[in-house]
Amino acid sequence: MRSPYKKSKAAYVCVWCLVLLLIVFIWLRNGNSLFPSVISTLIAILLGFFTSRLLENIISNTETTKRLGYLHMEMDPKKFISSYKDVPENTNGDKEKKISYAYLSSGYEEAGDFDRALEVLEKGNIKGSDSLDTLYLSQKCRCLIEKGDLQKADEVLDELEKRIDSVSDNQSLKDNQRQVQFVLSEMLRAKKGDSVDVEYLEGRLKATQYKIGRLEIYYTMAMHYRNKGNKKKEAEILSIITEEGGKTWFKTWAEERRAEI
């Protein structure tokens, strides 16, 4: 069994209990007819194997989607962490386990616990392919920027750019990660007190579906306007973050900043 969720494990067990009952029925019905009983038993086992795995995967994906909804839709990282913190340790499959650690790291990041987010990210050893390498580097860079470790963030951003450049057979991934890199670059510039490309960021806002991604862009824009001394525009952006920030650290940060203006 690959799933870390109790519901999918229960479904797996139920399927095999039914298969066992079916096998017993087959042998009782066929009596001394050995060949038909053996064939029917093998068919039942094969059906049980494929059905149990399919059902287990469906339930596992549903449970993961529901928990990610706590983070990306309800904007409640603590609720997500509470429901997901044990999942990575109990996930089988190398790639699946690494991705689950990345999800958990994002939860701690959105809760404002950047050290814990980085710790979980490193524990997950999220490396080994184009998608995993870029996921790891972008998440690490994001946490370092938000934590304020700008020198390390600069180094990781350079590493991310080189890793994206090395992607040769997945243009979709390359284009997507390039956009992520650009946003992180602008966030880092704003954090350093430099100007950012507001027009570009506004364009990304229109193209970004996830609320968390939009908050990152608003956060960058708010810092830009603060650096420029434009309190009116900063206040407008902070108001949006406060309204849309849910229970993330972005909202807490925006409220504290609004009190200072």
Side-chain angles (χ1 to χ4, degrees):
M1 290 185 290
R2 299 166 64 88
S3 175
Y5 301 111
K6 291 181 179 179
K7 287 183 180 179
S8 55
K9 290 179 179 179
Y12 183 94
V13 171
C14 286
V15 168
W16 281 106
C17 286
L18 290 173
V19 169
L20 180 60
L21 290 174
L22 178 60
I23 291 173
V24 171
F25 173 76
I26 288 170
W27 283 89
L28 289 175
R29 181 184 179 187
N30 292 337
N32 295 326
S33 302
L34 181 62
F35 183 74
S37 297
V38 170
I39 295 300
S40 298
T41 297
L42 290 174
I43 292 173
I45 291 173
L46 286 174
L47 285 173
F49 175 78
F50 288 112
T51 301
S52 62
R53 292 300 297 272
L54 176 62
L55 188 58
E56 185 184 27
N57 287 337
I58 290 173
I59 295 175
S60 180
N61 289 337
T62 300
E63 289 296 306
T64 297
T65 300
K66 181 177 76 173
R67 285 160 173 75
L68 287 174
Y70 300 154
L71 183 63
H72 294 294
M73 302 304 293
E74 297 182 23
M75 309 293 285
D76 190 341
K78 290 185 178 180
K79 183 177 180 181
F80 167 75
I81 292 169
S82 177
S83 68
Y84 198 79
K85 61 184 178 181
D86 295 327
V87 169
E89 287 285 352
N90 296 309
T91 298
N92 295 319
D94 185 57
K95 184 174 182 179
E96 291 84 353
K97 181 180 284 289
K98 290 177 179 180
I99 292 175
S100 68
Y101 272 110
Y103 287 153
L104 184 58
S105 174
S106 294
Y108 283 112
E109 177 213 337
E110 299 313 323
D113 191 345
F114 307 123
D115 287 329
R116 181 60 175 152
L118 288 166
E119 179 184 333
V120 169
L121 192 66
E122 296 299 335
K123 184 177 181 180
N125 190 31
I126 308 169
K127 303 173 184 177
S129 68
D130 291 339
S131 59
L132 289 174
D133 288 350
T134 52
L135 172 64
Y136 164 77
L137 291 169
S138 61
Q139 175 66 4
K140 184 174 183 178
C141 182
R142 186 178 293 107
C143 290
L144 289 170
I145 293 172
E146 293 168 348
K147 179 184 176 183
D149 195 339
L150 305 187
Q151 182 176 350
K152 284 187 179 179
D154 236 333
E155 295 171 359
V156 175
L157 188 62
D158 287 342
E159 191 176 351
L160 173 61
E161 182 176 6
K162 293 175 183 177
R163 187 62 183 86
I164 294 172
D165 288 340
S166 71
V167 176
S168 58
D169 58 353
N170 192 335
Q171 191 60 44
S172 177
L173 172 68
K174 193 169 187 175
D175 292 342
N176 177 265
Q177 288 301 312
R178 186 70 72 197
Q179 295 293 344
V180 171
Q181 176 213 332
F182 286 162
V183 171
L184 289 173
S185 177
E186 294 300 282
M187 187 189 297
L188 182 56
R189 287 178 59 83
K191 195 80 170 181
K192 291 178 177 179
D194 298 331
S195 296
V196 303
D197 188 340
V198 175
E199 184 177 352
Y200 166 76
L201 292 174
E202 289 175 343
R204 290 308 305 160
L205 274 174
K206 296 176 182 178
T208 302
Q209 298 179 349
Y210 289 110
K211 295 179 180 179
I212 294 295
R214 293 175 61 82
L215 286 175
E216 291 175 359
I217 295 172
Y218 281 129
Y219 169 67
T220 302
M221 293 172 67
M223 287 192 295
H224 167 75
Y225 287 122
R226 179 180 62 183
N227 296 337
K228 293 294 184 181
N230 190 337
K231 293 185 177 182
K232 181 179 180 181
K233 289 294 294 184
E234 181 190 1
E236 291 176 5
I237 301 298
L238 291 173
S239 179
I240 295 173
I241 296 174
T242 301
E243 291 175 7
E244 300 184 7
K247 297 181 180 180
T248 68
W249 76 271
F250 289 108
K251 180 175 181 177
T252 303
W253 173 83
E255 289 175 336
E256 292 175 352
R257 179 56 190 162
R258 287 178 73 183
E260 296 173 2
I261 297 178

